[in-house]
Amino acid sequence: MTYIIAAVVVLIAVVVFGSFSRKRIYKQIDRLESWKMDIMNRPLTEEISKVKGLTMVGETEEKFESWRSDWDEMVTVELPNMEEALFDAEESADKYRFGKAKGILHHIESRMQAMEERIKAISAEIDELITSEELNREDIIEAKEQFSEAKKYFLTHSRSLGKTAVLFEEEFTEVNAKFVQFDELTSQGNHLEARKILVESIEKLKEARSKMESVPELLVMLLSDLPSSLKDLQDGFFDMEQQGYVLNHIGIDKEITAMNETITKLLEKVYALEIDETQKGIEQLNAEIDQLYDLLENEVVSKQFVIKEKEVILQSLSDLQLDMEKIRAEADMVALSYQLDHSDVEVHKRLEKLFTKLQTRFSIIEQSIEEKKDSYSVIREMMEEMAVQLEDVKKSNHEYQEKLISLRKDELQTKEKLKELRRKLLEARRMVQKSNLPGLPDHYLVTIEKAESYIIEVSKRLDDKPLEISDVTEVLEKALEAVEEGYRETAEIIETALLAEKLIQYGNRYRSSYSSVSVRLIEAEIAFRNYQYEEALTIAGTAIESVQPGILKEMEINLKQKI
């Protein structure tokens, strides 16, 4: 039972597959049949018939017969054979010979594709032949008109064409011969070949006309303009030499000789009608002439620069020399007090050497200008390089000077502070003198003497060689403290003395009324005369406050406002 079922399944599968394959082949057969009918219905016969309107000789007749023969072969032989082959493919499919059917169909499709390509080629050749004949009829008229115009132009301008006139006559003869050849080919029905000859003739005519228009201008440039430019250049060169310019580096004679040789070669190219190469050569010559003029102009500009910059550099060297002398003195002074690093000493030596080299170089430049050894452009380059070096030395010089100043910074600051302390101490003495005090207490004198001694010690320490700035700073701090203390005590003593004096004077009004006040004021006066101003103020203040409370505060305020 199992075998029977399997056999039935296989049979069904074979039937289904066969049916599907046969449908696919039928579909291809239908497509190829339609394609075959389409080819048979092509109007190629009508297209071929268009050629009958042309003269049926030569190339035209040969092509016409070839196209008609090919089309007849396709219609009467190849397409019927394809019809038979399609029947064979259909029959093979019906018999389940699918491989054979596919092979036949593939062969038919290849043949039909080849037929399509041949039909397209025939149509294109027909169009080309007919179009060529039409264009030839139109273009030959225009070409002969252009030929006539070019010939007239030639006759009118033949004198300006120089030696090239003979070549243009040959060109016209050749073009005319091609026109004759064109007429012969056309009469023989060789329209395609005639087309090729006509196109060549038109291009040759256009090229000849273009060259004829270019030649006169090129000859003028080569025979007149360029030689004149070279003469002007040589004259200008000579004039500048007479004015003292050094122009040996330009080598004008060699350059002009070479350019004259180039002009000769370019003339030969013109006479050979090598127009493009001649134009390029002329452009190159003009560029070279412009370059030489640029070199001469550069000499003029360089001379102006040299004359101006010479004074600038001279002044810069003078200024730099003064700076170098100042720095040398500064370095010597620093060296007395400080141990300079080896690198700092080397920097200074290097700057001195560079400056000497700059002076030497400037002397060489001056000599070169005076004796006219070098061109101004060369001297300018030397000056520009020297200006850069000058700036470098100035910058390095400034940096070295800043370093020296930095080394003495603490010393200079200490000296400046010392000056301030002396001024402040002097101001304290003037304040005392102005106040007309009867005398000064011993403790104040001690304070002032201590401040003066510190100032003297700082001054001595600054003169030590080598200078130990840390020791100086330590003593300076003590001096600052002592002077501040002395100045503060001066102000306090003067204020206290003035207030005590005012209180004693004010208290005199109470002497007769209050015996106790009178006694205390006498004690205050004794203390005042003994320079005990603070004690005098305390005694007088206590006495007067006992009879007029608040008077001390009031007088303090009034005194401060006046001070």
Side-chain angles (χ1 to χ4, degrees):
M1 189 66 181
T2 302
Y3 292 115
I4 295 172
I5 293 171
V8 171
V9 170
V10 171
L11 181 61
I12 292 171
V14 169
V15 171
V16 170
F17 174 76
S19 176
F20 177 75
S21 298
R22 194 163 48 195
K23 285 181 180 179
R24 286 183 62 185
I25 290 174
Y26 288 164
K27 188 175 181 180
Q28 283 184 280
I29 291 171
D30 291 341
R31 180 178 63 83
L32 293 173
E33 179 67 26
S34 298
W35 190 0
K36 177 180 70 69
M37 295 303 296
D38 177 64
I39 291 174
M40 288 183 68
N41 293 326
R42 298 282 175 84
L44 192 60
T45 303
E46 288 78 4
E47 289 186 45
I48 295 172
S49 298
K50 293 178 183 178
V51 182
K52 290 183 178 181
L54 305 178
T55 303
M56 297 299 291
V57 292
E59 181 184 45
T60 304
E61 185 178 10
E62 290 175 4
K63 285 186 174 293
F64 176 80
E65 294 297 335
S66 174
W67 297 331
R68 188 172 64 176
S69 174
D70 287 350
W71 178 241
D72 287 345
E73 176 74 15
M74 284 186 274
V75 172
T76 60
V77 177
E78 292 192 37
L79 288 177
N81 288 341
M82 288 180 191
E83 180 70 25
E84 291 292 334
L86 287 172
F87 283 128
D88 290 343
E90 185 176 1
E91 185 178 353
S92 295
D94 290 340
K95 295 178 179 180
Y96 288 83
R97 295 177 180 174
F98 302 124
K100 182 179 179 181
K102 288 179 180 179
I104 295 171
L105 294 177
H106 178 72
H107 177 72
I108 293 172
E109 186 158 6
S110 297
R111 290 299 302 141
M112 292 181 72
Q113 186 64 45
M115 290 173 65
E116 283 284 7
E117 291 174 1
R118 180 56 184 148
I119 290 170
K120 287 179 182 178
I122 291 172
S123 296
E125 290 173 6
I126 292 170
D127 289 339
E128 183 183 10
L129 182 62
I130 294 173
T131 303
S132 295
E133 192 275 338
E134 292 174 354
L135 290 175
N136 286 350
R137 278 189 283 108
E138 297 171 1
D139 291 350
I140 188 60
I141 297 172
E142 184 179 353
K144 288 182 177 180
E145 289 177 356
Q146 291 177 358
F147 179 81
S148 179
E149 290 175 5
K151 199 70 180 290
K152 288 179 183 177
Y153 184 90
F154 169 75
L155 294 173
T156 306
H157 298 84
S158 59
R159 294 185 63 185
S160 63
L161 294 173
K163 295 179 181 179
T164 62
V166 177
L167 298 177
F168 286 114
E169 286 181 348
E170 293 174 358
E171 294 276 343
F172 289 130
T173 300
E174 187 177 342
V175 171
N176 190 57
K178 284 187 176 293
F179 284 164
V180 172
Q181 186 180 2
F182 169 83
D183 292 337
E184 291 175 354
L185 290 170
T186 301
S187 64
Q188 295 169 2
N190 298 329
H191 300 292
L192 297 175
E193 186 66 22
R195 181 68 189 164
K196 181 180 178 182
I197 294 297
L198 181 57
V199 170
E200 289 177 359
S201 301
I202 293 172
E203 289 299 319
K204 195 170 189 63
L205 198 56
K206 286 181 180 178
E207 185 179 352
R209 179 61 184 265
S210 176
K211 288 180 178 180
M212 275 194 297
E213 293 174 354
S214 300
V215 165
E217 183 181 356
L218 295 177
L219 289 176
V220 168
M221 293 184 72
L222 292 169
L223 295 172
S224 177
D225 293 350
L226 285 171
S228 177
S229 295
L230 291 179
K231 186 178 184 305
D232 291 342
L233 179 62
Q234 195 165 30
D235 291 343
F237 185 89
F238 178 75
D239 289 342
M240 288 182 66
E241 282 190 323
Q242 295 297 107
Q243 294 172 30
Y245 286 90
V246 179
L247 305 174
N248 297 333
H249 64 293
I250 297 177
I252 194 72
D253 292 335
K254 182 179 178 181
E255 293 289 338
I256 289 179
T257 299
M259 285 191 280
N260 278 322
E261 290 175 358
T262 301
I263 290 173
T264 302
K265 291 177 182 178
L266 291 176
L267 277 170
E268 292 174 0
K269 288 184 180 296
V270 173
Y271 295 145
L273 296 182
E274 297 175 7
I275 304 302
D276 291 339
E277 291 185 22
T278 303
Q279 288 174 335
K280 290 177 183 177
I282 289 174
E283 289 175 4
Q284 180 63 31
L285 268 179
N286 282 323
E288 291 174 5
I289 291 172
D290 290 341
Q291 188 176 14
L292 289 172
Y293 271 115
D294 288 342
L295 290 174
L296 295 179
E297 185 180 354
N298 184 47
E299 288 301 317
V300 175
V301 174
S302 295
K303 180 180 180 180
Q304 296 171 352
F305 175 88
V306 166
I307 292 171
K308 179 181 177 182
E309 193 66 15
K310 178 184 173 185
E311 299 302 320
V312 174
I313 292 178
L314 185 62
Q315 185 61 49
S316 295
L317 282 171
S318 178
D319 294 342
L320 184 57
Q321 185 172 17
L322 291 175
D323 289 341
M324 297 290 290
E325 290 173 357
K326 289 179 182 178
I327 289 175
R328 191 182 302 115
E330 184 82 12
D332 292 342
M333 185 178 295
V334 170
L336 292 174
S337 302
Y338 299 91
Q339 184 66 38
L340 291 173
D341 291 339
H342 178 71
S343 59
D344 294 332
V345 175
E346 289 300 317
V347 167
H348 188 222
K349 288 181 179 178
R350 184 176 63 85
L351 288 174
E352 293 279 2
K353 288 180 180 178
L354 285 174
F355 179 69
T356 303
K357 285 183 179 179
L358 288 174
Q359 287 180 313
T360 303
R361 178 163 293 187
F362 186 70
S363 298
I364 293 171
I365 290 174
E366 285 185 312
Q367 185 180 5
S368 182
I369 295 171
E370 185 178 346
E371 298 179 3
K372 296 181 173 55
K373 289 183 176 181
D374 296 300
S375 65
Y376 284 110
S377 57
V378 171
I379 297 172
R380 176 179 181 173
E381 289 177 4
M382 294 167 64
M383 282 187 165
E384 288 173 341
E385 183 180 350
M386 185 174 177
V388 173
Q389 292 173 344
L390 262 172
E391 287 302 315
D392 290 341
V393 173
K394 284 181 182 178
K395 182 180 178 182
S396 299
N397 214 33
H398 178 72
E399 290 172 355
Y400 184 66
Q401 188 176 28
E402 289 292 321
K403 190 161 190 177
L404 291 176
I405 292 172
S406 177
L407 284 172
R408 297 192 63 201
K409 184 178 180 182
D410 292 338
E411 178 189 356
L412 296 174
Q413 287 179 348
T414 299
K415 287 183 177 180
E416 191 62 34
K417 287 180 181 178
L418 195 59
K419 288 180 183 178
E420 292 177 7
L421 291 178
R422 284 172 174 161
R423 282 197 297 268
K424 201 160 191 177
L425 208 56
L426 181 61
E427 185 181 349
R429 288 197 180 97
R430 287 175 179 171
M431 287 168 59
V432 170
Q433 291 174 357
K434 189 177 179 182
S435 66
N436 294 317
L437 295 176
L440 295 168
D442 292 339
H443 70 87
Y444 172 74
L445 294 175
V446 171
T447 300
I448 294 300
E449 286 176 2
K450 184 172 69 172
E452 288 178 342
S453 67
Y454 280 133
I455 289 174
I456 292 170
E457 186 176 355
V458 171
S459 182
K460 287 181 178 179
R461 293 289 182 91
L462 285 171
D463 292 334
D464 289 345
K465 304 296 185 234
L467 180 63
E468 294 292 342
I469 198 68
S470 59
D471 294 342
V472 175
T473 303
E474 184 180 348
V475 179
L476 180 64
E477 291 296 327
K478 294 178 180 179
L480 284 168
E481 187 178 343
V483 170
E484 286 295 328
E485 184 181 356
Y487 189 84
R488 185 177 64 254
E489 285 190 18
T490 300
E492 290 175 354
I493 287 172
I494 292 172
E495 184 179 347
T496 301
L498 288 175
L499 185 56
E501 186 179 14
K502 295 289 183 183
L503 276 171
I504 291 170
Q505 291 173 356
Y506 184 82
N508 286 335
R509 67 184 65 184
Y510 296 111
R511 283 179 182 269
S512 58
S513 302
Y514 299 96
S515 58
S516 60
V517 171
S518 178
V519 172
R520 297 297 287 172
L521 288 176
I522 291 171
E523 293 175 355
E525 288 175 350
I526 293 170
F528 190 88
R529 286 194 294 272
N530 290 325
Y531 320 139
Q532 305 296 321
Y533 304 118
E534 193 170 341
E535 185 179 349
L537 177 61
T538 301
I539 295 170
T542 303
I544 297 172
E545 281 282 333
S546 65
V547 296
Q548 188 179 346
I551 187 60
L552 180 60
K553 188 68 174 178
E554 182 181 341
M555 291 189 74
E556 283 180 354
I557 294 171
N558 290 335
L559 181 62
K560 286 182 179 180
Q561 288 176 349
K562 290 179 181 180
I563 292 174

